[in-house]
Each structure stands twice: as structure tokens, then as C-alpha cells.
Amino acid sequence: LRSNYNVNVKALFVSNFAVPNSSVQADLSTLKSRQELCVPLRIFTRLVKGGWGCDPKMAYKSHMGYQAYQSQELWPVARSLIIDHWITKDFPLPGAEEALHCPIVAFYGKEDAAVSLSDVQRWEYLSSDPDTFQVIKMEGGHMWFQNSSTRCEALATELGRLVRRF
């Protein structure tokens, strides 16, 4: 980023996210695999079944064609999940295994069934100075801070402390 965009990164904060180079290339060889990758209802069904902490209503479709994720209540979360889904489809990115020249801090929801603690701890190997790497364990699952003002406050407090440190 520094050489291409003149951006000096002070620190990187990630939450319940595996390192980019651990992702496998998406399989697009069959119609079924393309549908699993591209159809939102199938994406949400996989996330709900996979323990990603999604509201089970996200994967609901009525016999009349109503899909709950399109409701006004669920769409903000659905949109963010679709964005998260698509940002990882270009992984592994070229150069994704290169060390970053900034401290890395990973937040981890203790009850996350979708991303393991060992996957999150692999961020340590992407830091040019592994001694500055830190995993902060928080209460909750994969989406540990969503819909919880207490957890959002804890996150804000922790981020404030970390930003002052870096």
C-alpha cells in the first residue's frame, strides 16, 4: 500500500477472519457449484448450517417465493454477509502470503463455530514482527459484536486502547 498508494498503515485489525492465503479457489466447474457460490439463498443456507451466527430466518423461503433475507428487517445484515462472501472469492490474492509491515491484532469470538482460533492465529505469520501480533478473545460467536451494545462498547474501548498504543 505504501509504494502503490502512498498509504502508511499503522496497524491491521481483523475479527474472526482466516488469513487470505488459506482460502481455496472457488470451484465453478458445474452448474450446481456455480449456484452454491452465486445464489444468495444458498449462500445464507450454507452460512446458517455452518455456524456463522446468522439468524436462521436468513435461509427461509416460502412456497410462494418470499425470501426472508430480502425483508427490511434482515436486509442490512444480509447485505453485509453478501459483501463478506464476495470479498473472499478472489482469494487467494497474489502476494497474500507476504508479511505486512504493521502490527496485527485479531479479535476472536470465543464461541465461533465457523472460524477456528488456529485459523485466526495464522495472522501472526503475516506480520513482519510476530512479537507485535495479538489475539483478543471476546465473548460470543462469529458475529460476536452485532446486536449487542455491551459487546460493541467493549470493542470500541479495546480499539481505542489499541489505536493509542500504535
Side-chain angles (χ1 to χ4, degrees):
L1 290 173
R2 190 176 305 138
S3 61
N4 291 342
Y5 302 102
N6 198 26
V7 173
N8 189 18
V9 179
K10 298 287 184 187
L12 174 67
F13 304 105
V14 295
S15 177
N16 291 51
F17 203 82
V19 293
N21 58 358
S22 69
S23 298
V24 295
Q25 197 70 29
D27 174 27
L28 301 173
S29 61
T30 65
L31 178 59
K32 182 178 180 178
S33 64
R34 289 191 294 274
Q35 286 180 332
E36 292 292 328
L37 181 73
C38 298
V39 175
L41 189 63
R42 291 189 182 203
I43 294 167
F44 295 132
T45 301
R46 187 174 57 253
L47 293 175
V48 168
K49 288 181 176 180
W52 289 82
C54 303
D55 186 336
K57 291 186 284 187
M58 300 285 278
Y60 173 75
K61 181 178 181 178
S62 75
H63 68 285
M64 297 294 289
Y66 168 75
Q67 297 179 29
Y69 75 87
Q70 295 173 331
S71 70
Q72 194 170 16
E73 170 196 356
L74 296 176
W75 179 244
V77 174
R79 186 181 63 219
S80 69
L81 290 171
I82 289 171
I83 292 168
D84 284 352
H85 171 77
W86 281 110
I87 64 170
T88 60
K89 294 310 157 211
D90 286 336
F91 291 166
L93 299 171
E97 69 284 344
E98 294 176 19
L100 302 172
H101 299 286
C102 66
I104 300 174
V105 176
F107 290 92
Y108 181 72
K110 293 178 185 176
E111 291 89 39
D112 190 346
V115 178
S116 70
L117 178 59
S118 62
D119 284 344
V120 173
Q121 288 173 327
R122 290 181 59 200
W123 281 97
E124 178 178 8
Y125 304 109
L126 288 180
S127 175
S128 58
D129 184 7
D131 293 336
T132 62
F133 175 74
Q134 180 180 5
V135 174
I136 299 173
K137 297 176 188 168
M138 306 295 272
E139 296 299 323
H142 184 71
M143 295 193 281
W144 58 272
F145 60 90
Q146 286 190 347
N147 302 324
S148 171
S149 58
T150 305
R151 291 178 183 164
C152 284
E153 288 175 16
L155 174 62
T157 301
E158 197 63 41
L159 285 173
R161 185 184 65 76
L162 290 166
V163 167
R164 283 190 295 278
R165 189 173 103 198
F166 298 124

